[in-house]
Amino acid sequence: MTRPAALYIRVSSHLQARDDRYGLARQEAETRAYAARTGLSIPDGALYTDVITGRSETRDGLEQLKADRQRYSAIITSEADRLGRTPLAGHKILNELLGLGLDVHNATDGLYDPDDDASVLTFDMRMVIAHQELRSIKRRMLGGKLAAAEKGEIIPHGWRCYGYRQVYELEGGRPVRRIEVDEVEAAVVREIFERLVRGDTTGQIADDLNARGVPTAMNSVWHPQRPWYMARNTAYKGEARMTLRHAKREFTFPVPPIVDGDTWQLAHDSLRRKPIKHTETFWLNGLLRCAECGGAMSGTNSHSSRTSYRHYRCSRAFKHRHYGDVPVCTQRTYYRMNDLHEHADRIVREIAEHPERYAGQAASTPPDHSRALKEIDRLEGQLKRYLTDYQRELLTGDEYAGLRDTARRRLEELRAEVVPPTVIPLPNTAAALEAIGRLVQEGVSTREVLLRSGTRLSIAPGGVLEVVLRV
């Protein structure tokens, strides 16, 4: 009784698997001829096919063959490199098949015998040659891509740009990709460029598009960075750019322009204008302190998939966090910008109307801990590097423990220096309170009132704002 065997054939791409190509048909014919010569039988449904690169170790057809292994005693391929195009992939799959109790044949070299030195050497050499052939194929393909890219005749796979879409057309029976303008998105692109030329900021454009419900390419919200990047994208004037990863060179390829070159240049030049100061949005920056550690409460933007939020947070609570140690500040709450701005406005108006409630509340300028904080930051990074070196076995356990303990002791000393500012009551605050009342009557903005009067605010856990008068 003849032994049943499975046939395994593989090509690397769907182009090679087309009916007008002969890669799969040739492999099937060679494996069936080998089975007939060696007396192996091929049951119905014993042909397993994969269309995948030989570098991959996970394949649907091969996995199905492994699942059906009880039906067969052997597997036949046309050549050894059908198992893998690299020594690593080839040997791994070979060992898996042998471990399942299957004999491994190929129509070129015959049966693989793990106890025969000549058979093992032959398979090893086949894997080395296959790997070298793979490198040669990649080198030739890269050369062809470079030649096509230099002529602008290549479009990168997965290229996506707002305002364009990819379409496929048949030429000579083969699908060919084309880039064409998406008129719905292109209208938004033209509007963005026109508004930038008129002098609108990217933030104003983004806010207006969000208010109108205009979706982005990913159906999310518009952030100010999006119009900024669009104004720098040369694709909109007809010169799209790409980088071939292996060549590490940038090339251009033509696409239909959405705006003319002059409009693109004017919009691009508008980005060089002085941007809006951060304090125009987060006008409490520099005026709001953390009551826990005395650090600055800085404004920050956070985004979700469909909207964006503006908050204040303690910079020390997030800047100095690291693995295994306690941050400099424990106040890690995000406070909504609009809520704090409204609260600050109310406080300033209340001071102007009832200055007697705040008489005697003043504080000295908090000490400057900038050097200590820089040293803390450096030591935190040093601790991470010590841990990395220990994990890489560059440091012994004793060396790592000694360096770590020394750095941690120094960190504790520095953190003891960084304490919340001490509130010291000063006898005369009348001048500061009088200045606040006068400035409010003059209609000066809340930020200017706080700056000119030397008044600062501090926020305690829970969002409680406190007034700090510097006199």
Side-chain angles (χ1 to χ4, degrees), residues 72-99:
Y72 314 110
S73 61
I75 174 177
I76 307 173
T77 62
S78 61
E79 297 170 324
D81 63 8
R82 296 304 86 192
L83 293 181
R85 273 286 192 177
T86 65
L88 180 62
H91 281 92
K92 180 177 180 180
I93 293 174
L94 174 66
N95 292 330
E96 288 177 353
L97 295 173
L98 293 174

PDB file of all heavy atoms in Angstrom, residues 72-99:
ATOM      1  N   TYR A  72      -1.781  12.197   6.280  1.00  0.00           N
ATOM      2  CA  TYR A  72      -0.605  12.033   5.429  1.00  0.00           C
ATOM      3  C   TYR A  72       0.578  11.507   6.239  1.00  0.00           C
ATOM      4  O   TYR A  72       0.642  11.637   7.471  1.00  0.00           O
ATOM      5  CB  TYR A  72      -0.218  13.369   4.791  1.00  0.00           C
ATOM      6  CG  TYR A  72      -1.380  14.134   4.199  1.00  0.00           C
ATOM      7  CD1 TYR A  72      -1.842  15.318   4.781  1.00  0.00           C
ATOM      8  CD2 TYR A  72      -2.029  13.653   3.064  1.00  0.00           C
ATOM      9  CE1 TYR A  72      -2.904  16.012   4.248  1.00  0.00           C
ATOM     10  CE2 TYR A  72      -3.101  14.339   2.519  1.00  0.00           C
ATOM     11  CZ  TYR A  72      -3.538  15.514   3.120  1.00  0.00           C
ATOM     12  OH  TYR A  72      -4.595  16.196   2.592  1.00  0.00           O
ATOM     13  N   SER A  73       1.513  10.960   5.492  1.00  0.00           N
ATOM     14  CA  SER A  73       2.779  10.542   6.102  1.00  0.00           C
ATOM     15  C   SER A  73       3.943  11.369   5.595  1.00  0.00           C
ATOM     16  O   SER A  73       5.058  11.256   6.118  1.00  0.00           O
ATOM     17  CB  SER A  73       3.045   9.062   5.793  1.00  0.00           C
ATOM     18  OG  SER A  73       3.154   8.848   4.389  1.00  0.00           O
ATOM     19  N   ALA A  74       3.697  12.212   4.555  1.00  0.00           N
ATOM     20  CA  ALA A  74       4.783  12.999   3.973  1.00  0.00           C
ATOM     21  C   ALA A  74       4.226  14.264   3.359  1.00  0.00           C
ATOM     22  O   ALA A  74       3.012  14.393   3.117  1.00  0.00           O
ATOM     23  CB  ALA A  74       5.537  12.176   2.915  1.00  0.00           C
ATOM     24  N   ILE A  75       5.114  15.209   3.084  1.00  0.00           N
ATOM     25  CA  ILE A  75       4.783  16.442   2.397  1.00  0.00           C
ATOM     26  C   ILE A  75       5.794  16.623   1.274  1.00  0.00           C
ATOM     27  O   ILE A  75       6.992  16.342   1.454  1.00  0.00           O
ATOM     28  CB  ILE A  75       4.798  17.656   3.354  1.00  0.00           C
ATOM     29  CG1 ILE A  75       4.601  18.963   2.563  1.00  0.00           C
ATOM     30  CG2 ILE A  75       6.062  17.717   4.167  1.00  0.00           C
ATOM     31  CD1 ILE A  75       4.522  20.202   3.435  1.00  0.00           C
ATOM     32  N   ILE A  76       5.323  17.083   0.120  1.00  0.00           N
ATOM     33  CA  ILE A  76       6.191  17.256  -1.045  1.00  0.00           C
ATOM     34  C   ILE A  76       6.112  18.704  -1.512  1.00  0.00           C
ATOM     35  O   ILE A  76       5.008  19.257  -1.674  1.00  0.00           O
ATOM     36  CB  ILE A  76       5.776  16.323  -2.204  1.00  0.00           C
ATOM     37  CG1 ILE A  76       5.686  14.870  -1.734  1.00  0.00           C
ATOM     38  CG2 ILE A  76       6.748  16.444  -3.376  1.00  0.00           C
ATOM     39  CD1 ILE A  76       5.123  13.928  -2.788  1.00  0.00           C
ATOM     40  N   THR A  77       7.263  19.309  -1.736  1.00  0.00           N
ATOM     41  CA  THR A  77       7.353  20.630  -2.359  1.00  0.00           C
ATOM     42  C   THR A  77       8.200  20.502  -3.624  1.00  0.00           C
ATOM     43  O   THR A  77       8.948  19.531  -3.800  1.00  0.00           O
ATOM     44  CB  THR A  77       7.987  21.663  -1.418  1.00  0.00           C
ATOM     45  OG1 THR A  77       9.336  21.257  -1.120  1.00  0.00           O
ATOM     46  CG2 THR A  77       7.203  21.786  -0.125  1.00  0.00           C
ATOM     47  N   SER A  78       8.092  21.501  -4.492  1.00  0.00           N
ATOM     48  CA  SER A  78       8.880  21.445  -5.723  1.00  0.00           C
ATOM     49  C   SER A  78      10.352  21.719  -5.455  1.00  0.00           C
ATOM     50  O   SER A  78      11.233  21.112  -6.069  1.00  0.00           O
ATOM     51  CB  SER A  78       8.331  22.447  -6.747  1.00  0.00           C
ATOM     52  OG  SER A  78       8.410  23.770  -6.228  1.00  0.00           O
ATOM     53  N   GLU A  79      10.637  22.630  -4.536  1.00  0.00           N
ATOM     54  CA  GLU A  79      12.007  22.999  -4.183  1.00  0.00           C
ATOM     55  C   GLU A  79      12.048  23.300  -2.695  1.00  0.00           C
ATOM     56  O   GLU A  79      11.020  23.593  -2.068  1.00  0.00           O
ATOM     57  CB  GLU A  79      12.478  24.222  -4.979  1.00  0.00           C
ATOM     58  CG  GLU A  79      12.536  23.988  -6.484  1.00  0.00           C
ATOM     59  CD  GLU A  79      12.781  25.296  -7.235  1.00  0.00           C
ATOM     60  OE1 GLU A  79      12.258  26.335  -6.785  1.00  0.00           O
ATOM     61  OE2 GLU A  79      13.474  25.268  -8.253  1.00  0.00           O
ATOM     62  N   ALA A  80      13.237  23.281  -2.134  1.00  0.00           N
ATOM     63  CA  ALA A  80      13.381  23.528  -0.701  1.00  0.00           C
ATOM     64  C   ALA A  80      12.951  24.933  -0.315  1.00  0.00           C
ATOM     65  O   ALA A  80      12.415  25.157   0.779  1.00  0.00           O
ATOM     66  CB  ALA A  80      14.823  23.274  -0.265  1.00  0.00           C
ATOM     67  N   ASP A  81      13.166  25.921  -1.207  1.00  0.00           N
ATOM     68  CA  ASP A  81      12.858  27.308  -0.846  1.00  0.00           C
ATOM     69  C   ASP A  81      11.363  27.585  -0.812  1.00  0.00           C
ATOM     70  O   ASP A  81      10.950  28.696  -0.477  1.00  0.00           O
ATOM     71  CB  ASP A  81      13.565  28.285  -1.782  1.00  0.00           C
ATOM     72  CG  ASP A  81      13.114  28.146  -3.231  1.00  0.00           C
ATOM     73  OD1 ASP A  81      12.159  27.405  -3.495  1.00  0.00           O
ATOM     74  OD2 ASP A  81      13.742  28.778  -4.101  1.00  0.00           O
ATOM     75  N   ARG A  82      10.506  26.600  -1.181  1.00  0.00           N
ATOM     76  CA  ARG A  82       9.063  26.796  -1.010  1.00  0.00           C
ATOM     77  C   ARG A  82       8.697  26.802   0.470  1.00  0.00           C
ATOM     78  O   ARG A  82       7.669  27.359   0.852  1.00  0.00           O
ATOM     79  CB  ARG A  82       8.278  25.705  -1.726  1.00  0.00           C
ATOM     80  CG  ARG A  82       8.434  25.665  -3.244  1.00  0.00           C
ATOM     81  CD  ARG A  82       8.076  26.979  -3.904  1.00  0.00           C
ATOM     82  NE  ARG A  82       9.199  27.916  -3.958  1.00  0.00           N
ATOM     83  CZ  ARG A  82       9.089  29.212  -4.271  1.00  0.00           C
ATOM     84  NH1 ARG A  82       7.895  29.724  -4.502  1.00  0.00           N
ATOM     85  NH2 ARG A  82      10.156  29.983  -4.328  1.00  0.00           N
ATOM     86  N   LEU A  83       9.543  26.192   1.290  1.00  0.00           N
ATOM     87  CA  LEU A  83       9.312  26.247   2.739  1.00  0.00           C
ATOM     88  C   LEU A  83       9.696  27.602   3.315  1.00  0.00           C
ATOM     89  O   LEU A  83       9.050  28.093   4.240  1.00  0.00           O
ATOM     90  CB  LEU A  83      10.107  25.142   3.440  1.00  0.00           C
ATOM     91  CG  LEU A  83       9.682  23.703   3.161  1.00  0.00           C
ATOM     92  CD1 LEU A  83      10.560  22.738   3.955  1.00  0.00           C
ATOM     93  CD2 LEU A  83       8.212  23.485   3.501  1.00  0.00           C
ATOM     94  N   GLY A  84      10.734  28.204   2.798  1.00  0.00           N
ATOM     95  CA  GLY A  84      11.168  29.492   3.319  1.00  0.00           C
ATOM     96  C   GLY A  84      12.255  30.087   2.461  1.00  0.00           C
ATOM     97  O   GLY A  84      13.054  29.364   1.862  1.00  0.00           O
ATOM     98  N   ARG A  85      12.275  31.420   2.434  1.00  0.00           N
ATOM     99  CA  ARG A  85      13.276  32.125   1.656  1.00  0.00           C
ATOM    100  C   ARG A  85      14.448  32.600   2.512  1.00  0.00           C
ATOM    101  O   ARG A  85      15.382  33.200   1.996  1.00  0.00           O
ATOM    102  CB  ARG A  85      12.643  33.341   0.966  1.00  0.00           C
ATOM    103  CG  ARG A  85      12.028  33.047  -0.377  1.00  0.00           C
ATOM    104  CD  ARG A  85      13.096  32.832  -1.427  1.00  0.00           C
ATOM    105  NE  ARG A  85      12.553  32.825  -2.779  1.00  0.00           N
ATOM    106  CZ  ARG A  85      13.286  32.707  -3.867  1.00  0.00           C
ATOM    107  NH1 ARG A  85      14.598  32.582  -3.755  1.00  0.00           N
ATOM    108  NH2 ARG A  85      12.732  32.696  -5.051  1.00  0.00           N
ATOM    109  N   THR A  86      14.373  32.352   3.792  1.00  0.00           N
ATOM    110  CA  THR A  86      15.479  32.700   4.685  1.00  0.00           C
ATOM    111  C   THR A  86      15.826  31.459   5.506  1.00  0.00           C
ATOM    112  O   THR A  86      14.951  30.616   5.763  1.00  0.00           O
ATOM    113  CB  THR A  86      15.110  33.856   5.632  1.00  0.00           C
ATOM    114  OG1 THR A  86      14.062  33.429   6.509  1.00  0.00           O
ATOM    115  CG2 THR A  86      14.658  35.083   4.859  1.00  0.00           C
ATOM    116  N   PRO A  87      17.074  31.333   5.937  1.00  0.00           N
ATOM    117  CA  PRO A  87      17.433  30.172   6.765  1.00  0.00           C
ATOM    118  C   PRO A  87      16.587  30.048   8.019  1.00  0.00           C
ATOM    119  O   PRO A  87      16.197  28.945   8.412  1.00  0.00           O
ATOM    120  CB  PRO A  87      18.911  30.421   7.081  1.00  0.00           C
ATOM    121  CG  PRO A  87      19.406  31.249   5.948  1.00  0.00           C
ATOM    122  CD  PRO A  87      18.259  32.131   5.563  1.00  0.00           C
ATOM    123  N   LEU A  88      16.271  31.177   8.647  1.00  0.00           N
ATOM    124  CA  LEU A  88      15.486  31.137   9.876  1.00  0.00           C
ATOM    125  C   LEU A  88      14.089  30.580   9.614  1.00  0.00           C
ATOM    126  O   LEU A  88      13.624  29.654  10.298  1.00  0.00           O
ATOM    127  CB  LEU A  88      15.391  32.532  10.485  1.00  0.00           C
ATOM    128  CG  LEU A  88      14.599  32.650  11.792  1.00  0.00           C
ATOM    129  CD1 LEU A  88      15.258  31.818  12.882  1.00  0.00           C
ATOM    130  CD2 LEU A  88      14.471  34.109  12.225  1.00  0.00           C
ATOM    131  N   ALA A  89      13.389  31.117   8.596  1.00  0.00           N
ATOM    132  CA  ALA A  89      12.032  30.661   8.302  1.00  0.00           C
ATOM    133  C   ALA A  89      12.041  29.220   7.803  1.00  0.00           C
ATOM    134  O   ALA A  89      11.198  28.395   8.203  1.00  0.00           O
ATOM    135  CB  ALA A  89      11.384  31.578   7.276  1.00  0.00           C
ATOM    136  N   GLY A  90      12.981  28.884   6.913  1.00  0.00           N
ATOM    137  CA  GLY A  90      13.024  27.531   6.358  1.00  0.00           C
ATOM    138  C   GLY A  90      13.260  26.466   7.405  1.00  0.00           C
ATOM    139  O   GLY A  90      12.569  25.440   7.438  1.00  0.00           O
ATOM    140  N   HIS A  91      14.244  26.676   8.292  1.00  0.00           N
ATOM    141  CA  HIS A  91      14.537  25.677   9.319  1.00  0.00           C
ATOM    142  C   HIS A  91      13.406  25.575  10.341  1.00  0.00           C
ATOM    143  O   HIS A  91      13.122  24.474  10.846  1.00  0.00           O
ATOM    144  CB  HIS A  91      15.854  26.020  10.021  1.00  0.00           C
ATOM    145  CG  HIS A  91      17.068  25.634   9.231  1.00  0.00           C
ATOM    146  ND1 HIS A  91      17.687  26.495   8.357  1.00  0.00           N
ATOM    147  CD2 HIS A  91      17.761  24.462   9.157  1.00  0.00           C
ATOM    148  CE1 HIS A  91      18.723  25.888   7.798  1.00  0.00           C
ATOM    149  NE2 HIS A  91      18.785  24.653   8.258  1.00  0.00           N
ATOM    150  N   LYS A  92      12.767  26.687  10.651  1.00  0.00           N
ATOM    151  CA  LYS A  92      11.678  26.635  11.636  1.00  0.00           C
ATOM    152  C   LYS A  92      10.525  25.794  11.100  1.00  0.00           C
ATOM    153  O   LYS A  92       9.985  24.928  11.812  1.00  0.00           O
ATOM    154  CB  LYS A  92      11.195  28.049  11.958  1.00  0.00           C
ATOM    155  CG  LYS A  92      10.060  28.071  12.974  1.00  0.00           C
ATOM    156  CD  LYS A  92       9.638  29.485  13.332  1.00  0.00           C
ATOM    157  CE  LYS A  92       8.493  29.446  14.349  1.00  0.00           C
ATOM    158  NZ  LYS A  92       8.050  30.805  14.715  1.00  0.00           N
ATOM    159  N   ILE A  93      10.122  26.039   9.842  1.00  0.00           N
ATOM    160  CA  ILE A  93       9.007  25.280   9.272  1.00  0.00           C
ATOM    161  C   ILE A  93       9.405  23.816   9.090  1.00  0.00           C
ATOM    162  O   ILE A  93       8.596  22.899   9.342  1.00  0.00           O
ATOM    163  CB  ILE A  93       8.581  25.916   7.934  1.00  0.00           C
ATOM    164  CG1 ILE A  93       7.967  27.298   8.201  1.00  0.00           C
ATOM    165  CG2 ILE A  93       7.592  25.032   7.194  1.00  0.00           C
ATOM    166  CD1 ILE A  93       7.640  28.082   6.960  1.00  0.00           C
ATOM    167  N   LEU A  94      10.643  23.555   8.666  1.00  0.00           N
ATOM    168  CA  LEU A  94      11.104  22.174   8.499  1.00  0.00           C
ATOM    169  C   LEU A  94      11.018  21.412   9.821  1.00  0.00           C
ATOM    170  O   LEU A  94      10.520  20.283   9.877  1.00  0.00           O
ATOM    171  CB  LEU A  94      12.540  22.172   7.971  1.00  0.00           C
ATOM    172  CG  LEU A  94      13.226  20.798   7.886  1.00  0.00           C
ATOM    173  CD1 LEU A  94      12.537  19.917   6.857  1.00  0.00           C
ATOM    174  CD2 LEU A  94      14.707  20.969   7.587  1.00  0.00           C
ATOM    175  N   ASN A  95      11.508  22.034  10.896  1.00  0.00           N
ATOM    176  CA  ASN A  95      11.482  21.368  12.196  1.00  0.00           C
ATOM    177  C   ASN A  95      10.052  21.141  12.687  1.00  0.00           C
ATOM    178  O   ASN A  95       9.768  20.123  13.339  1.00  0.00           O
ATOM    179  CB  ASN A  95      12.273  22.179  13.216  1.00  0.00           C
ATOM    180  CG  ASN A  95      13.765  22.182  12.918  1.00  0.00           C
ATOM    181  OD1 ASN A  95      14.295  21.223  12.354  1.00  0.00           O
ATOM    182  ND2 ASN A  95      14.448  23.258  13.276  1.00  0.00           N
ATOM    183  N   GLU A  96       9.152  22.078  12.401  1.00  0.00           N
ATOM    184  CA  GLU A  96       7.752  21.893  12.800  1.00  0.00           C
ATOM    185  C   GLU A  96       7.141  20.689  12.083  1.00  0.00           C
ATOM    186  O   GLU A  96       6.430  19.885  12.694  1.00  0.00           O
ATOM    187  CB  GLU A  96       6.949  23.159  12.490  1.00  0.00           C
ATOM    188  CG  GLU A  96       7.258  24.330  13.413  1.00  0.00           C
ATOM    189  CD  GLU A  96       6.489  25.578  13.012  1.00  0.00           C
ATOM    190  OE1 GLU A  96       5.829  25.549  11.946  1.00  0.00           O
ATOM    191  OE2 GLU A  96       6.548  26.578  13.759  1.00  0.00           O
ATOM    192  N   LEU A  97       7.416  20.555  10.772  1.00  0.00           N
ATOM    193  CA  LEU A  97       6.868  19.435  10.014  1.00  0.00           C
ATOM    194  C   LEU A  97       7.446  18.104  10.488  1.00  0.00           C
ATOM    195  O   LEU A  97       6.724  17.101  10.622  1.00  0.00           O
ATOM    196  CB  LEU A  97       7.139  19.640   8.526  1.00  0.00           C
ATOM    197  CG  LEU A  97       6.431  20.847   7.884  1.00  0.00           C
ATOM    198  CD1 LEU A  97       6.915  21.049   6.458  1.00  0.00           C
ATOM    199  CD2 LEU A  97       4.924  20.658   7.916  1.00  0.00           C
ATOM    200  N   LEU A  98       8.757  18.080  10.737  1.00  0.00           N
ATOM    201  CA  LEU A  98       9.373  16.852  11.244  1.00  0.00           C
ATOM    202  C   LEU A  98       8.817  16.494  12.616  1.00  0.00           C
ATOM    203  O   LEU A  98       8.606  15.320  12.934  1.00  0.00           O
ATOM    204  CB  LEU A  98      10.894  17.015  11.308  1.00  0.00           C
ATOM    205  CG  LEU A  98      11.618  17.157   9.964  1.00  0.00           C
ATOM    206  CD1 LEU A  98      13.097  17.454  10.194  1.00  0.00           C
ATOM    207  CD2 LEU A  98      11.444  15.897   9.114  1.00  0.00           C
ATOM    208  N   GLY A  99       8.579  17.522  13.442  1.00  0.00           N
ATOM    209  CA  GLY A  99       8.034  17.266  14.768  1.00  0.00           C
ATOM    210  C   GLY A  99       6.624  16.709  14.734  1.00  0.00           C
ATOM    211  O   GLY A  99       6.181  16.066  15.695  1.00  0.00           O
TER     212      GLY A  99
END
